[in-house]
Amino acid sequence: MAKVTSFEDGRTAVTMAAESEHEPRRFKVYTDKNIDKIEKLDLLDDETVFNMKVVSSVLPFRVNEYMINDVIDWNRVPDDPLYQLTFPQRDMLPPELFDEMAELHRRGADKKEIKAKARELRTRLNPHPAGQVEMNLPEDDEGEVIDGLQHKYRETVLFFPSAGQTCHSYCTFCFRWAQFVGDDEFRIAQDDAAKMQSYLATNKQVSDLLVTGGDPMIMKTRKLREYLEPLTRPGYEHIQTVRIGTKALSFWPYRFVTDKDADDVLALMRELVASGKHVAVMAHYNHPNELDTDIAREAIRRVRETGAEIRSQGPLLRNINDDPEAWTRMWNEQVRLGIIPYYMFVERDTGAKNYFEVPLVRAWEIYREAIQNVSGLGRTARGPSMSAGPGKVEIQGVTEIKGEKVIVLRFIQGRNPDWVQRPFFAKYDPEATWLDQLEPAFGEKEFFFEAEYRQMCEDARTWMQGKKLV
Ligand SMILES: *Cc1c(COP(=O)(O)O)cnc(C)c1O
Ligand code: SF4
């Protein structure tokens, strides 16, 4: 389809939209319930498939046909990064937990028993890292807690719409996994657009709304519009940025190209931009191979055409992308496609963490080597960053101060904004994989923020008791 643009000086430009090149594709998904129907698994041995079934009865498993047929390179399985990203592997569960569940499968236990066991095992996998549930609950004017919102950093409110609590495929390392397995007590989601909107209207210090999930792009545009369109009206001028966190650009790019309401969702973005908002698609990418298909590139092109920006973020993961070359290639390719590299995260302390974790010092080496090999436009990626209880903490490097080898850290975001951008120092520890394993350098008892953070936790507990939430 040709589109003619006329400029004020009389010039015209004709652009060819590439829609016609892409046929609509039916979304077809596999889970632990129909795992046997995945033909490609015939390429694997029986034991690998058995292990997969055991793990997928505990951790969420869901992969769609586009990922299987167009993105995963089956000649490279089991090492293919996109296979590792979507298909469960034995070592993703600690050995004791794996054995407990494998035993049930071997003796043909019924569904009910497997479910009960799965529930028990999940509680042993730290389903809610970093006090997500306890500490960031906003309340309305009447002191009523609003479900489905999180407000941790002054300027940004997170919104978890209930219809967006799933994804087009699941990442095997997902830190939100507890939301997907259907255990009710783990749920943080809401369906009340009005409550979210009125919270934003009364909190003028908030500049950013971040719609997240799961993946909000799993929702029909009609639903997304209910949430977002009202923000273009008077009363929401302080909301300067609408961010949408999504992996759809990679897991299901058809969402933006050929799905029935693909054009509608782009129209919604265009309207938000026209109303003066900055629209930021916070795109989750883990590996450069995710950018390689024509459809993935077409989706990026179409989103950018609306005036929305795409920023990329994703965790560093052993067995998937713990290689500087992968990050260099990914950031370079993203810059070429008009995406702004934003964050490299450290994998959180939950779920299959042991399988994916990379020591902080090694993470920094990978980051440094990768960033040294991109131009300044790729160096907008910050990290490696831990989303820990007190805030987002970045590993800035390793150095020696007066004979002591130390790790230099800083807050990118803090529960107290005053903590941001103050360097602090931990004892060098090449094995540590998370903030709580680090000790202060120079013989100090604790890090500068710890006493204050402890008080914040205590206050939150008291507040929760007042609300009878504990
Ligand atoms: C990362 C994050 C944000 C956004 O932080 P930015 O640094 O502005 O991208 C907001 N809330 C929570 C809970 C976060 O983890
Ligand atoms: S896209 Fe995000 S929320 Fe969805 S499975 Fe992957 S990590 Fe989890």
Side-chain angles (χ1 to χ4, degrees), residues 166-177 180 213-215 246-247 251 284:
T166 182
C167 296
H168 293 95
S169 279
Y170 287 156
C171 308
T172 40
F173 64 83
C174 179
F175 68 96
R176 296 257 162 86
W177 64 277
F180 300 144
D215 194 329
T246 183
K247 186 137 179 110
F251 274 168
H284 174 190

Side-chain angles (χ1 to χ4, degrees), residues 134 137 145 457-470:
E134 301 82 14
L137 302 176
V145 172
C457 295
E458 210 151 292
D459 292 348
R461 220 165 289 130
T462 313
W463 176 85
M464 301 265 298
Q465 271 154 7
K467 301 275 168 213
K468 301 201 170 45
L469 290 173
V470 284

